[in-house]
Amino acid sequence: MYATEALLAEYGKSISGSTFVIQGFGNVGSWAAQLIHEKGGKVIALGDVSGTIRNKAGIDVPALMKHRNEGGQLKDFHGAEVMDASELLVHECDVLLPCALGGVLNRENAPDVKAKFIIEAANHPTDPEADEILTKKGVVVLPDIYANAGGVIVSYFEWVQNIQGFMWEEEKVNMELHKYMNSAFQNIKAMCKSQDCNLRMGAFTLGVNRVARATILRGWEA
């Protein structure tokens, strides 16, 4: 959610008022849907192995969560209509969040993607051929190395708390995460500007440079 906010703000947009399609309704997708809904975003389609549904007026995410937590499947949710799973990734929307499997965006479906922004919440959901197609189409892809890094950052916070022997309040965890995600996005944008590259290349360039510098400082260079 913080990554999505940072990207949309760069284009003068916000979660509120934007439409979202989410693939996956597990630990990543369900929380993404809930947080986006709370921020005023409209989740118009989502799917997982139990079904794929849509509602152009916006899915009632809290009601869907209650339905699922009571053992219900997505296809049986009464607040939306069932749709073909193959249409989910190419459904018209402002923001597409693949939150499940790798390689789901490929050369077969990338030409038909209608989203303006893609937030890679899964690991490697876009293959190289699709990446090239999407770039030519003008679709902005926020790479997984940044977009789904929040969990790892919070794991680092847990390590810090263990060392301190002091537990943070949830509010502090979220505040620190927001700070780190915003700072990282600005660093990636600066790299993109200096190297004239897209967000994926900017993120990888930044990461590789940091590893290389750390290696040299430790005296491990060849």
Side-chain angles (χ1 to χ4, degrees):
M1 190 267 287
Y2 289 148
T4 303
E5 280 187 323
L7 179 64
L8 292 179
E10 191 69 20
Y11 290 84
K13 301 179 182 296
S14 65
I15 289 177
S16 177
S18 296
T19 56
F20 296 81
V21 168
I22 300 175
Q23 184 198 43
F25 203 59
N27 196 40
V28 178
S30 65
W31 278 105
Q34 290 177 78
L35 294 170
I36 286 167
H37 180 81
E38 289 172 8
K39 285 282 186 177
K42 187 185 293 185
V43 180
I44 58 173
L46 58 82
D48 67 5
V49 293
S50 72
T52 306
I53 57 176
R54 65 184 169 195
N55 183 337
K56 64 180 181 180
I59 294 170
D60 185 340
V61 176
L64 180 60
M65 286 298 301
K66 183 175 185 294
H67 169 77
R68 193 194 67 169
N69 292 339
E70 292 174 349
Q73 297 185 323
L74 262 62
K75 64 182 180 180
D76 300 320
F77 180 61
H78 295 303
E81 64 177 356
V82 175
M83 62 178 286
D84 191 322
S86 64
E87 297 176 7
L88 184 65
L89 294 170
V90 298
H91 196 287
E92 189 168 349
C93 63
D94 296 317
V95 185
L96 171 65
L97 285 89
C99 300
L101 304 171
V104 294
L105 291 168
N106 48 56
R107 65 180 179 181
E108 282 77 30
N109 59 15
D112 299 320
V113 168
K114 300 176 183 66
K116 304 174 185 68
F117 304 94
I118 295 176
I119 312 295
E120 292 188 332
N123 291 324
H124 192 54
T126 310
D127 72 19
E129 289 178 303
D131 211 23
E132 186 175 343
I133 293 169
L134 292 168
T135 298
K136 289 179 179 178
K137 281 168 58 75
V139 178
V140 179
V141 180
L142 195 62
D144 54 355
I145 191 174
Y146 165 71
N148 69 13
V152 182
I153 294 172
V154 174
S155 293
Y156 161 70
F157 293 162
E158 292 173 351
W159 176 75
V160 169
Q161 291 170 77
N162 287 336
I163 290 175
Q164 292 177 331
F166 180 76
M167 297 294 292
W168 298 357
E169 297 291 337
E170 183 179 350
E171 183 180 2
K172 178 174 173 61
V173 174
N174 289 332
M175 180 183 71
E176 292 293 329
L177 176 60
H178 187 249
K179 180 175 70 177
Y180 274 73
M181 292 301 287
N182 277 350
S183 174
F185 183 78
Q186 295 308 316
N187 289 337
I188 292 169
K189 287 296 296 182
M191 181 63 74
C192 291
K193 185 176 181 180
S194 67
Q195 300 298 319
D196 190 23
C197 62
N198 63 20
L199 289 166
R200 189 184 307 282
M201 188 59 69
F204 277 115
T205 302
L206 182 62
V208 170
N209 282 351
R210 285 177 173 173
V211 172
R213 176 169 170 75
T215 301
I216 292 171
L217 290 174
R218 289 175 176 179
W220 293 350
E221 75 272 21

